[in-house]
Amino acid sequence: MNNNNHLSSSSLTIRLRNLRKWMIALFILVIFIWSMLGLDYQGFQSTSKVVSLSILKGFMHPDWAYVYLPEGEDLLRELLETLVISILGTFVSAILCIPFAFWAAANMSRLRLFPGMGKFTLSVIRVFPEMIVAILFIKAVGPGSFAGVLALGVHSIGMLAKLFSETIEGIDPGPQEALIACGATRLQTIRFAVIPQVIPQFLSYSLYRFEINIRSATTLGLVGAGGIGTPLIFALQVRNWNRVGVILLGIVLLVVVTDFISSRLRRRII
Amino acid sequence: MIELRQVSKTFPNGTVGLKDINLNIQTGEFVVIVGLSGAGKSTLLRSINRLSDVTSGDIQIDGQSITSASGSKLRSIRRNIGMIFQSFNLIKRTTVLNNVLSGRVGYHSTLRTLFGSFPKRDVEIALTALERVNIREKAYIRADQLSGGQQQRVSIARALAQEATIILADEPVASLDPLTTRQVMDDLQRINRELNITTIVNLHFIDLARDYATRIIGLRAGEVVFDGSVHEATDEKLAEIYGRPVKADELLDSSRDMQGVGVV
Amino acid sequence: MKSDTNLADSTPIPSISPSSNYLITNGLGNTKRSKRIATWMLFIVIIVVCSIYIDVTPYQLFVGLPEMGVLLKEMFPPDWSYLPTIWAPMLQTIKIAVAGTILGAIPAIPAALFSANNITPNKWLSLPIRTLLNLVRTVPDLLFAAIFVAVFGIGPFAGMLALLFFSFGIIAKLTYESLEAIDPGPLEAMTAVGANRIQIIVFGVIPQALPAFISYLLYTFEINIRAATVLGFVGAGGIGLLLNQSLGLFRYDRAATIIILTLAVVLIIDYTSTSIRRKLL
């Protein structure tokens, strides 16, 4: 009897769990239908087929002449600019985020409120979509690669400083104690006992962020913040598909090559 | 000279760490503190250089009160006290020499040391310190590539480079094997004798304490229950400190023949 | 009783000749040190050359910072009366993100199953799919959007398609990695009782991988909601179009309203999504 009772109650929980599963699935379905209704899809436009075909044709025959033009403004130089923007943007954010990281690291201050405020600030920075940061900088300092560098530099702080502060929180506290016992000041303790422990991880995270930034840098130009995105949006507007094809090829190559180099470097550092 | 006057320490959770400690430790003494774990050995040692604060009482180092010092005064007192830890507390990713040099930071302004460059004289002091513990040839090797015993010698060298007049060693041999234990204790003893550095060591092993100490202090529940020479620290007295007869695991080796191997 | 013990001057151990030893070890240390200094110098040179190349210098920052202040001043106070107007585009932004994420997640399931080596041992099938996934992930979402706008015309559909491709790439990649990490025990047990491949996947693989899959779906949704807010800049629907317009008309107070609403929406979605993800894993 007892056994039977136990069985029925467990089957009830299973049934409840199943019900919950179905409810969640139904909820997702409803949200999905709701979202699809708002997208006013007008079907393939009459031009879509022609456009798709010409895109394919364009991709098959990339505009190789654009790769290098003697007078400049060519694919190679724009890709180089994109690369440079992401290098500088990563560099700026790696420098800027160090104070933020120490601010947010729980083991770097005796108060509990102080690192909490730092963590909150970082999550506020992370909420800002990258492109909005870029647009604001374009409005402030004008279009161009400077706005792009600033956008990457400021936006990356949110993620990078969070990772940095977690690294700081994970270090061995022993060396700091040893330095304090030697009569070191606070800054000396950080310089000799904290920095050497965190530098490799900092570098590795910065490279990782660089890989993300190179992807972002390719789109910054779409809103006017310099790099390969600018000629891409021009080529798209005039439907020069051969040029779009060669630019996309260039972007894919740039991302693949920098990813490869960066991940090799990261493996060597750690 | 180190003087402790009515030093007491109560932890925030109410645990009594130290209770009314009065001690005078003369220059050049080799003091070993023994007691059960939790008896307050570590707390006592760490309050001498104020890595942990005492609740009441006064500790004077060469006539200067460390309990009331702060800022640069506190740092300059600490500079004269070297500390050796059970877990070595080396900066593992950097060279042995840099670890030893980090003992010199107290002598220089923050700004100067931030770039990590030390005067040539400091490098010489560091290398001489390494020579004293017989690992000078390891100076440019990364600290994490050394064995435990060698790492502990690096931390002794760091204390020497500090040109400290006092060395505090908190369970310096607890993570070492018996052979290297002897070597490290020999190093400490030699430094104590040759440079006349006051040495205070926390030890778990009673026989080691008897072999190296000039004076033994027994702690029990935060109180000094024994303070005397090695000859006075008989088995009966030690049994009093521990509240029970000394057990085998509190002896490094029951037969003394290991000692001959230890001194190389 | 300050000690005058000076170790440098105190008697060195006589057996070793300190000077010669010093030279040898110091020389060894010097090569390592100089190598490290050279690396850092190279790094600094790269940074300097980079900043000269695209004319991004600290001087520009010095000049540009006050302009940042001017912009901020014009943004406040935000124009709250604009809020009712932007409500509908904001909802459309969310819809684009939801539809794009879910539609991208559906094809990601077979793609992940076919790329996981422990489920699809056939290299000729898994390798091309993995390559495709890697290629898809190199193209940023906004680029997809710009292309789809050209093909399908201006509107949210192009934006949704862009997020679909982008989500497909991420979710499939993350899912096949976690598929490869599942416990092989249940799969072996099912093979032993004679289950076929489909049965193994449905009863052995999916229950193990489902929480991770949903967690990646939510994570991608968090990324997509941020992306969806700027899709309008290339004409792919959502709130970005209005933001672009307000900025173009120098209505920074309106732009501020849009940005604040966007941040609020992102914050709420982030918070909800992360707390669900924490429960799942």
PDB file of all heavy atoms in Angstrom, chain C residues 100-114:
ATOM      1  N   GLY C 100      14.796  35.974 -35.221  1.00  0.00           N
ATOM      2  CA  GLY C 100      16.109  35.624 -35.756  1.00  0.00           C
ATOM      3  C   GLY C 100      16.783  34.548 -34.937  1.00  0.00           C
ATOM      4  O   GLY C 100      17.352  33.588 -35.479  1.00  0.00           O
ATOM      5  N   THR C 101      16.703  34.678 -33.612  1.00  0.00           N
ATOM      6  CA  THR C 101      17.366  33.695 -32.754  1.00  0.00           C
ATOM      7  C   THR C 101      16.730  32.319 -32.916  1.00  0.00           C
ATOM      8  O   THR C 101      17.424  31.316 -33.098  1.00  0.00           O
ATOM      9  CB  THR C 101      17.281  34.137 -31.277  1.00  0.00           C
ATOM     10  OG1 THR C 101      17.608  35.511 -31.184  1.00  0.00           O
ATOM     11  CG2 THR C 101      18.213  33.328 -30.418  1.00  0.00           C
ATOM     12  N   ILE C 102      15.389  32.280 -32.845  1.00  0.00           N
ATOM     13  CA  ILE C 102      14.726  30.970 -32.885  1.00  0.00           C
ATOM     14  C   ILE C 102      14.890  30.320 -34.257  1.00  0.00           C
ATOM     15  O   ILE C 102      15.228  29.139 -34.358  1.00  0.00           O
ATOM     16  CB  ILE C 102      13.236  31.101 -32.496  1.00  0.00           C
ATOM     17  CG1 ILE C 102      13.141  31.543 -31.027  1.00  0.00           C
ATOM     18  CG2 ILE C 102      12.510  29.775 -32.682  1.00  0.00           C
ATOM     19  CD1 ILE C 102      11.745  31.734 -30.527  1.00  0.00           C
ATOM     20  N   LEU C 103      14.686  31.116 -35.311  1.00  0.00           N
ATOM     21  CA  LEU C 103      14.821  30.537 -36.650  1.00  0.00           C
ATOM     22  C   LEU C 103      16.259  30.096 -36.931  1.00  0.00           C
ATOM     23  O   LEU C 103      16.480  29.152 -37.692  1.00  0.00           O
ATOM     24  CB  LEU C 103      14.354  31.534 -37.706  1.00  0.00           C
ATOM     25  CG  LEU C 103      12.844  31.703 -37.830  1.00  0.00           C
ATOM     26  CD1 LEU C 103      12.504  32.726 -38.888  1.00  0.00           C
ATOM     27  CD2 LEU C 103      12.186  30.368 -38.168  1.00  0.00           C
ATOM     28  N   GLY C 104      17.208  30.782 -36.326  1.00  0.00           N
ATOM     29  CA  GLY C 104      18.596  30.355 -36.507  1.00  0.00           C
ATOM     30  C   GLY C 104      18.906  29.114 -35.704  1.00  0.00           C
ATOM     31  O   GLY C 104      19.744  28.286 -36.084  1.00  0.00           O
ATOM     32  N   ALA C 105      18.217  28.964 -34.557  1.00  0.00           N
ATOM     33  CA  ALA C 105      18.489  27.825 -33.683  1.00  0.00           C
ATOM     34  C   ALA C 105      17.997  26.517 -34.290  1.00  0.00           C
ATOM     35  O   ALA C 105      18.582  25.458 -34.052  1.00  0.00           O
ATOM     36  CB  ALA C 105      17.845  28.055 -32.317  1.00  0.00           C
ATOM     37  N   ILE C 106      16.910  26.594 -35.091  1.00  0.00           N
ATOM     38  CA  ILE C 106      16.339  25.352 -35.636  1.00  0.00           C
ATOM     39  C   ILE C 106      17.322  24.634 -36.575  1.00  0.00           C
ATOM     40  O   ILE C 106      17.653  23.472 -36.346  1.00  0.00           O
ATOM     41  CB  ILE C 106      14.978  25.634 -36.308  1.00  0.00           C
ATOM     42  CG1 ILE C 106      13.968  26.059 -35.226  1.00  0.00           C
ATOM     43  CG2 ILE C 106      14.461  24.402 -37.034  1.00  0.00           C
ATOM     44  CD1 ILE C 106      12.702  26.689 -35.779  1.00  0.00           C
ATOM     45  N   PRO C 107      17.848  25.310 -37.615  1.00  0.00           N
ATOM     46  CA  PRO C 107      18.828  24.595 -38.450  1.00  0.00           C
ATOM     47  C   PRO C 107      20.134  24.312 -37.707  1.00  0.00           C
ATOM     48  O   PRO C 107      20.910  23.453 -38.147  1.00  0.00           O
ATOM     49  CB  PRO C 107      19.075  25.554 -39.623  1.00  0.00           C
ATOM     50  CG  PRO C 107      18.686  26.889 -39.126  1.00  0.00           C
ATOM     51  CD  PRO C 107      17.565  26.662 -38.159  1.00  0.00           C
ATOM     52  N   ALA C 108      20.363  25.010 -36.582  1.00  0.00           N
ATOM     53  CA  ALA C 108      21.600  24.776 -35.838  1.00  0.00           C
ATOM     54  C   ALA C 108      21.615  23.379 -35.226  1.00  0.00           C
ATOM     55  O   ALA C 108      22.683  22.805 -35.008  1.00  0.00           O
ATOM     56  CB  ALA C 108      21.768  25.832 -34.747  1.00  0.00           C
ATOM     57  N   ILE C 109      20.404  22.814 -34.952  1.00  0.00           N
ATOM     58  CA  ILE C 109      20.359  21.491 -34.318  1.00  0.00           C
ATOM     59  C   ILE C 109      20.948  20.414 -35.231  1.00  0.00           C
ATOM     60  O   ILE C 109      21.911  19.740 -34.833  1.00  0.00           O
ATOM     61  CB  ILE C 109      18.916  21.141 -33.879  1.00  0.00           C
ATOM     62  CG1 ILE C 109      18.434  22.139 -32.823  1.00  0.00           C
ATOM     63  CG2 ILE C 109      18.854  19.726 -33.330  1.00  0.00           C
ATOM     64  CD1 ILE C 109      16.963  22.027 -32.500  1.00  0.00           C
ATOM     65  N   PRO C 110      20.423  20.248 -36.477  1.00  0.00           N
ATOM     66  CA  PRO C 110      21.059  19.231 -37.333  1.00  0.00           C
ATOM     67  C   PRO C 110      22.518  19.559 -37.632  1.00  0.00           C
ATOM     68  O   PRO C 110      23.359  18.652 -37.661  1.00  0.00           O
ATOM     69  CB  PRO C 110      20.212  19.266 -38.613  1.00  0.00           C
ATOM     70  CG  PRO C 110      19.426  20.518 -38.557  1.00  0.00           C
ATOM     71  CD  PRO C 110      19.231  20.835 -37.120  1.00  0.00           C
ATOM     72  N   ALA C 111      22.819  20.860 -37.818  1.00  0.00           N
ATOM     73  CA  ALA C 111      24.210  21.224 -38.115  1.00  0.00           C
ATOM     74  C   ALA C 111      25.130  20.793 -36.982  1.00  0.00           C
ATOM     75  O   ALA C 111      26.218  20.253 -37.215  1.00  0.00           O
ATOM     76  CB  ALA C 111      24.314  22.726 -38.344  1.00  0.00           C
ATOM     77  N   ALA C 112      24.672  20.995 -35.730  1.00  0.00           N
ATOM     78  CA  ALA C 112      25.494  20.612 -34.584  1.00  0.00           C
ATOM     79  C   ALA C 112      25.642  19.098 -34.522  1.00  0.00           C
ATOM     80  O   ALA C 112      26.724  18.566 -34.261  1.00  0.00           O
ATOM     81  CB  ALA C 112      24.871  21.142 -33.298  1.00  0.00           C
ATOM     82  N   LEU C 113      24.525  18.382 -34.769  1.00  0.00           N
ATOM     83  CA  LEU C 113      24.570  16.916 -34.720  1.00  0.00           C
ATOM     84  C   LEU C 113      25.540  16.375 -35.774  1.00  0.00           C
ATOM     85  O   LEU C 113      26.293  15.435 -35.512  1.00  0.00           O
ATOM     86  CB  LEU C 113      23.177  16.327 -34.938  1.00  0.00           C
ATOM     87  CG  LEU C 113      22.198  16.488 -33.775  1.00  0.00           C
ATOM     88  CD1 LEU C 113      20.801  16.049 -34.191  1.00  0.00           C
ATOM     89  CD2 LEU C 113      22.669  15.668 -32.573  1.00  0.00           C
ATOM     90  N   PHE C 114      25.533  17.009 -36.958  1.00  0.00           N
ATOM     91  CA  PHE C 114      26.400  16.513 -38.021  1.00  0.00           C
ATOM     92  C   PHE C 114      27.854  16.918 -37.829  1.00  0.00           C
ATOM     93  O   PHE C 114      28.739  16.315 -38.420  1.00  0.00           O
ATOM     94  CB  PHE C 114      25.898  17.007 -39.392  1.00  0.00           C
ATOM     95  CG  PHE C 114      24.696  16.273 -39.882  1.00  0.00           C
ATOM     96  CD1 PHE C 114      23.557  16.938 -40.300  1.00  0.00           C
ATOM     97  CD2 PHE C 114      24.692  14.874 -39.903  1.00  0.00           C
ATOM     98  CE1 PHE C 114      22.436  16.249 -40.738  1.00  0.00           C
ATOM     99  CE2 PHE C 114      23.585  14.171 -40.341  1.00  0.00           C
ATOM    100  CZ  PHE C 114      22.456  14.866 -40.760  1.00  0.00           C
TER     101      PHE C 114
END
